[in-house]
Amino acid sequence: MPRPHGFSYEEHTGGTVRITHHGRPATTLNGPRAAQFLTEVESPDPQLVMARWTGNYKRGNERTARDHPRNRR
């Protein structure tokens, strides 16, 4: 699975954090969620953290879902 890339974030006044993906807005976090994100993003792989917070990452079940009889055409 390829590593996530292209994410960045900006801290704004009032405790707001805006996460972008390739320059496009992905999500905005406020209050305690923004504070929690800022502590998690200090991890060794901040790209993966930002991908998880935006919901833009592979979960490993794509092949299973694709092969399900309901999704076959």
Side-chain angles (χ1 to χ4, degrees), residues 11-49:
E11 292 181 61
H12 294 274
T13 57
T16 300
V17 175
R18 183 169 295 130
I19 302 174
T20 59
H21 186 242
H22 295 293
R24 299 179 121 175
T27 193
T28 302
L29 305 170
N30 298 302
R33 293 190 71 217
Q36 182 181 359
F37 167 79
L38 290 172
T39 59
E40 286 184 27
V41 80
E42 298 299 324
S43 74
D45 192 356
Q47 290 292 306
L48 186 60
V49 171

